[in-house]
Amino acid sequence: MGKSEKPLGKISSINALLTLVLLDSEQIPKWEPLDEEPDGDDIGGHPQKVTELYEDEDFVSAELEVGKGKALVLSLEGVTGEAEIRRLEDGTLALIEPPRDWWDDEDNYGERKDEVAQLFTDALGSAPKAGKEKRAGKILVSSGKLVVFDSNESLESASKAAKKTTNEKFVGFGENDGGVVLGLAPGQYVIWRHVIEPEWADDQRLVIAYLRRA
């Protein structure tokens, strides 16, 4: 079985709107926690700043200052509230929404087994053709441990997960399975976002964010 054929894990949102934050584990203590009793429309902490990004209807990604570093806020499609993580043969990490088991569900596209299989082959079998991807940003992972989480997830248990994470391994965290810590080679990473629109999928799109060493 190839690396890309088995998901490393999933990230889930408390709603269908899946907005991911990518953050070096060294910046975990600098991330503003959720306010459990916010006033008015303020949902508290950085998530409120994330919400403000949606004022731009074309929002895909943006950098957010965290301590002396930066986090990358990345919007996937926001349909199922779930993304899966896969590692390609060349070491590239792929964040995918909706995940494969959603496509395989009989209530969705389970009857189109061949088309779904080809869809994921196109997404994960090789690098997309030039011009098909949109650069979404970059992230410095000095610690070699990248925290990827839904913007509404608390980071209370993220530090413990980071301590358990080793190179090329991942550890999930959060009450809602809303985050993972990924073990990577330290350095700068670039994120590219690719969208595939199958003709047979009733306007449903497959959105992939590729994470590659710069």
Side-chain angles (χ1 to χ4, degrees):
M1 180 179 288
K3 290 182 180 180
S4 65
E5 295 180 36
K6 184 178 180 180
L8 297 175
K10 284 186 179 181
I11 300 175
S12 301
S13 173
I14 59 175
N15 52 43
L17 186 60
L18 183 61
T19 302
L20 298 179
V21 179
L22 285 70
L23 178 74
D24 186 275
S25 67
E26 292 180 345
Q27 300 297 327
I28 291 174
K30 303 297 183 181
W31 182 257
E32 296 175 20
L34 286 167
D35 183 353
E36 296 182 357
E37 298 181 358
D39 295 326
D41 295 331
D42 186 358
I43 62 174
H46 272 91
Q48 176 61 35
K49 297 178 183 178
V50 172
T51 302
E52 292 169 359
L53 295 172
Y54 291 123
E55 294 177 3
D56 179 0
E57 295 181 357
D58 297 322
F59 169 71
V60 170
S61 62
E63 290 185 339
L64 191 63
E65 292 187 3
V66 181
K68 296 182 179 180
K70 293 180 183 292
L72 182 71
V73 182
L74 175 67
S75 174
L76 291 185
E77 192 62 9
V79 174
T80 65
E82 284 191 332
E84 66 181 19
I85 305 168
R86 299 196 183 216
R87 193 186 303 275
L88 279 58
E89 293 294 337
D90 65 359
T92 297
L93 286 175
L95 307 172
I96 307 164
E97 203 272 354
R100 176 65 184 265
D101 59 7
W102 183 91
W103 293 89
D104 288 335
D105 192 301
E106 293 184 359
D107 291 335
N108 298 318
Y109 297 98
E111 295 182 355
R112 293 184 171 270
K113 297 183 184 300
D114 292 342
E115 290 96 331
V116 170
Q118 186 60 51
L119 174 65
F120 275 77
T121 295
D122 293 342
L124 304 174
S126 60
K129 296 179 180 179
K132 293 294 185 178
E133 296 173 308
K134 179 178 180 181
R135 180 164 172 163
K138 59 185 179 180
I139 185 75
L140 178 62
V141 189
S142 301
S143 67
K145 299 178 181 182
L146 178 66
V147 187
V148 183
F149 59 101
D150 177 66
S151 62
N152 289 305
E153 181 62 68
S154 169
L155 292 191
E156 183 176 353
S157 58
S159 294
K160 183 180 295 185
K163 291 179 181 179
K164 297 179 180 179
T165 304
T166 57
N167 188 35
E168 295 195 354
K169 301 296 182 181
F170 90 98
V171 177
F173 68 88
E175 293 183 3
N176 302 305
D177 296 323
V180 297
V181 183
L182 301 167
L184 306 172
Q188 189 90 15
Y189 286 80
V190 179
I191 294 86
W192 300 83
R193 187 175 182 270
H194 180 47
V195 178
I196 302 177
E197 301 181 85
E199 294 181 355
W200 45 266
D202 301 325
D203 297 327
Q204 176 61 53
R205 311 199 300 176
L206 181 70
V207 182
I208 313 103
Y210 298 99
L211 181 70
R212 297 173 179 152
R213 186 79 179 272

